[in-house]
Amino acid sequence: MATEQVKVNWLENMAFEAEVNGHKIIIDAAEPVGGENRGPRPKPMMLLALAGCTGMDVVSILKKMRVEVESYSVWVEGDLTEEHPKQFHQMRIIHEFKGKDLPMDKLEKAVNLSEERYCGVSAMYRKVIGITTEIKIIE
Amino acid sequence: MATEQVKVNWLENMAFEAEVNGHKIIIDAAEPVGGENRGPRPKPMMLLALAGCTGMDVVSILKKMRVEVESYSVWVEGDLTEEHPKQFHQMRIIHEFKGKDLPMDKLEKAVNLSEERYCGVSAMYRKVIGITTEIKIIE
């Protein structure tokens, strides 16, 4: 059974230094809540996990399909509950592809394969929250 | 309603540059799956979100309790399913405090308050997976 691990070491105030796959990342709170904004907040890391997971799936599927894009970005937005503990209850993924004469059917197929078969982050989140997906093409 | 957002831009191969709260983070796959390990993998970011969220809660609660620790680290381990899409089905949080004559009852109270009342990452994950917690004190 595969196991993943991260460790965070407290630095001072609200700042922590994380080690993830051997790479260092500082996370910190914003100034109004006692931090110094030395790094991002922890909760958006949940959105980053989803954006990166589905993004990597899509680029590797498109490569197999021999679809070449000029550029590709993924936005993930998450809405938080009003009540505490504040948690995501809805997310939106927007895949934005730039390129000439891009085949929408293949882009859709790549995105759907990630969501239905490959992306383990999406699979876990979907058990508790709603996630919508949108594909945009920029010529 | 509060909304959080992240954006990842594809760089090349499996590497993406993310922007999270204005900070840049590179994420990448490992070499055996076509990446170059220019940054961490996306899935462990889910563990980082949990470690950072509960860690920040604990340091701010301990500050209010006037409990001073020499050092503090949080490990989060996650076990992945064998079947695809591989996803976390169990996590373990280990809070490790270093200091002289640390009051275990207050450390436990801080950790429990985070888990039961404050940490929105933990609250969401617990709806789908099991999470165990351990507190270690190093004199």
Side-chain angles (χ1 to χ4, degrees), chain B residues 57-76:
Chain B
D57 288 343
V58 167
V59 294
S60 53
I61 296 165
L62 290 181
K63 193 180 175 190
K64 279 177 203 151
M65 290 176 169
R66 295 167 195 270
V67 174
E68 285 184 21
V69 301
E70 270 175 51
S71 70
Y72 171 46
S73 299
V74 185
W75 276 263
V76 176

Side-chain angles (χ1 to χ4, degrees), chain A residues 38-80:
Chain A
R38 291 171 60 182
R41 257 51 78 206
K43 213 173 273 169
M45 293 297 170
M46 291 180 62
L47 307 180
L48 175 57
L50 178 55
C53 173
T54 191
M56 287 186 191
D57 288 344
V58 168
V59 294
S60 54
I61 296 165
L62 290 181
K63 192 180 175 189
K64 278 176 203 152
M65 289 176 170
R66 295 167 195 270
V67 175
E68 285 185 21
V69 300
E70 270 176 50
S71 71
Y72 170 45
S73 299
V74 186
W75 275 264
V76 177
E77 293 178 344
D79 300 330
L80 291 164

Side-chain angles (χ1 to χ4, degrees), chain A residues 1-10 13-14 16 18 20-21 23 25 27-29 37-49 51-53 55-56 59-60 69 72-80 82 84-89 91-92 117-121 123-125 127-129, chain B residues 1-10 13-14 16 18 20-21 23 25 27-29 37-49 51-53 55-56 59-60 69 72-80 82 84-89 91-92 117-121 123-125 127-129:
Chain A
M1 184 185 61
T3 293
E4 304 262 15
Q5 188 191 55
V6 304
K7 185 189 180 189
V8 299
N9 294 313
W10 182 41
N13 296 324
M14 299 291 272
F16 285 81
V20 187
N21 301 123
H23 299 272
I25 298 174
I27 51 167
D28 197 1
N37 187 29
R38 291 171 60 182
R41 257 51 78 206
K43 213 173 273 169
M45 293 297 170
M46 291 180 62
L47 307 180
L48 175 57
C53 173
M56 287 186 191
V59 294
S60 54
V69 300
Y72 170 45
S73 299
V74 186
W75 275 264
V76 177
E77 293 178 344
D79 300 330
L80 291 164
E82 300 281 351
H84 290 270
K86 289 191 181 186
Q87 56 199 279
F88 293 119
H89 65 93
M91 292 184 191
R92 288 174 293 285
R117 207 175 301 173
Y118 296 113
C119 178
V121 178
M124 184 178 146
Y125 291 176
K127 288 179 183 165
V128 258
I129 64 168
Chain B
M1 185 185 59
T3 293
E4 303 262 16
Q5 189 191 55
V6 304
K7 185 188 180 189
V8 300
N9 294 313
W10 182 42
N13 297 323
M14 298 291 270
F16 286 81
V20 188
N21 302 122
H23 299 273
I25 298 173
I27 51 169
D28 196 3
N37 187 30
R38 291 171 60 182
R41 257 51 78 208
K43 212 174 273 169
M45 293 297 170
M46 291 181 61
L47 307 180
L48 174 56
C53 173
M56 286 187 192
V59 294
S60 53
V69 301
Y72 171 46
S73 299
V74 185
W75 276 263
V76 176
E77 293 178 347
D79 299 330
L80 291 163
E82 300 283 350
H84 290 271
K86 291 192 180 186
Q87 57 199 279
F88 292 119
H89 65 90
M91 293 184 191
R92 288 174 293 286
R117 207 175 300 172
Y118 297 113
C119 178
V121 179
M124 184 179 146
Y125 291 176
K127 288 179 183 165
V128 257
I129 65 169

Side-chain angles (χ1 to χ4, degrees), chain B residues 91-107:
Chain B
M91 293 184 191
R92 288 174 293 286
I93 308 175
I94 301 163
H95 297 265
E96 188 182 276
F97 300 94
K98 193 173 170 189
K100 218 175 142 41
D101 301 325
L102 288 176
M104 183 51 125
D105 57 334
K106 289 185 176 173
L107 301 180

